Amino acid sequence: MINLFYVHGSENHFYILDQTLLDKTLDDQELVNLTKQITSQSSNLNPADGLLVINQSNHEDALAQMRVINADGSEASMCGNGLRCVARYLSSKYHKDSFKVETMSADLLVNKHGELANNVPAFSVEISPVRFDNKSFPFDNLNTTNILNKALPEINDHLRFTAIAVPNPHLISFVENDHDLNETLGEIGKKLNDPNPYFTDGVNVNFAKILSRNNLFVHTYERGVGFTNACGTGMSATSLAFAINFPNLVDIKEPINVYNPGGMVQTKVHDTPNKQWIELIGNATFVGKLSVNESNLHSANISNENSEFIDSSEEKYYQKFVESIK
Ligand SMILES: N[C@@H](CCC[C@H](N)C(=O)O)C(=O)O
């Protein structure tokens, strides 16, 4: 039997599949089928935004490779909340507290962090590379090659936008009212992730409210998923946009507290002459595991009937942490 771990970072839920333990790894189509099956509401499994796949890495300095399959079957180049959970899994498997994980565009440094709260394990992960040019998204037909605090009348009549790829693509806006934070976000998120002439590969859309100096609330409509409790790369890109667009409200020597519908993370913006990157620090919670037969993974046949869910007590402590920050 193989364990599919049910995990979350800020209540952004995933299943983790460690393919190094399988007799035969799943091919790309099997991974897509499995992801669609376990994330579909009709599966009656615990809901998740995607599948985090661990493979062996052939990069000398990486402990393993992480791939991210979104609920709709598309593959993302990075996932910040997911990387923290994968980091925790690898840390306990290989007894290491600091190492690199291969992702689609870069080998990223991860570190075990002190607990976020009582019995809430946390990891910090590197979010990079950072890109602003239109080819990295891609975006088109907006009369510009980069978007930094710009009005985009093609997309909305009153908001300003910033576009940052880390390296998955994010569009960010700082908003003032709850209607924009929720309804306008949903409309723009849907429009830019349906076939459209502007972001032809889709884009993660993050709307943020500035709470005070170094304090933000971020709500995200994710590419390949829809509304999510939290998006790690989104909160990281939004923190960088906060520092760039509102330098008087951000001290980058201090962490930024980023609240989200699923809890809170901290980010640190690193702006050195040769590298701009963001450190994302937050929980890596293992809610439980689903014990499944390997052949059912290959045929995407996971259900409550042919698998067993074993609960851990970690979620209880995470919820206490959420209560404490409300
Ligand atoms: N939830 C993730 C981002 C997942 C990928 C995203 N949907 C994309 O397609 O880029 C995070 O925590 O960063």
Side-chain angles (χ1 to χ4, degrees), residues 169-180:
H170 290 274
L171 186 67
I172 298 144
S173 186
F174 292 88
V175 303
E176 281 172 10
N177 62 63
D178 286 349
H179 180 81
D180 282 340

Side-chain angles (χ1 to χ4, degrees), residues 12 14 70 76 78-82 168-169 204 222-223 230-233:
N12 180 195
F14 302 94
N70 288 321
M78 234 308 266
C79 174
N81 292 329
N168 59 338
N204 301 290
E222 255 192 44
R223 175 176 73 164
C231 174
T233 45

Side-chain angles (χ1 to χ4, degrees), residues 9 12-14 49-50 52 68-72 74-84 127 166-170 193 201-204 220-226 228 230-236 280:
N12 180 195
H13 286 91
F14 302 94
D49 284 357
L52 304 168
V68 184
I69 316 293
N70 288 321
D72 71 350
S74 59
E75 182 164 0
S77 53
M78 234 308 266
C79 174
N81 292 329
L83 182 56
R84 296 200 309 277
I127 305 293
V166 288
N168 59 338
H170 290 274
N193 285 290
D201 287 352
V203 66
N204 301 290
T220 304
Y221 187 102
E222 255 192 44
R223 175 176 73 164
V225 177
T228 181
C231 174
T233 45
M235 294 184 286
S236 303
L280 170 69

Side-chain angles (χ1 to χ4, degrees), residues 159-170:
L159 297 174
R160 302 184 84 80
F161 296 92
T162 297
I164 306 180
V166 288
N168 59 338
H170 290 274

Side-chain angles (χ1 to χ4, degrees), residues 78-146:
M78 234 308 266
C79 174
N81 292 329
L83 182 56
R84 296 200 309 277
C85 297
V86 165
R88 178 170 170 203
Y89 175 84
L90 295 171
S91 168
S92 114
K93 179 174 176 186
Y94 294 106
H95 309 288
K96 287 188 173 216
D97 288 348
S98 180
F99 50 90
K100 284 190 174 180
V101 179
E102 177 190 342
T103 63
M104 194 188 278
S105 305
D107 295 347
L108 299 173
L109 183 65
V110 303
N111 283 291
K112 188 172 183 169
H113 197 270
E115 289 182 345
L116 204 60
N118 184 31
N119 281 320
V120 179
F123 276 75
S124 77
V125 300
E126 172 185 349
I127 305 293
S128 81
V130 173
R131 294 174 180 143
F132 298 92
D133 61 290
N134 58 338
K135 290 192 184 63
S136 301
F137 287 80
F139 61 79
D140 207 354
N141 299 312
L142 293 170
N143 298 313
T144 182
T145 52
N146 63 36

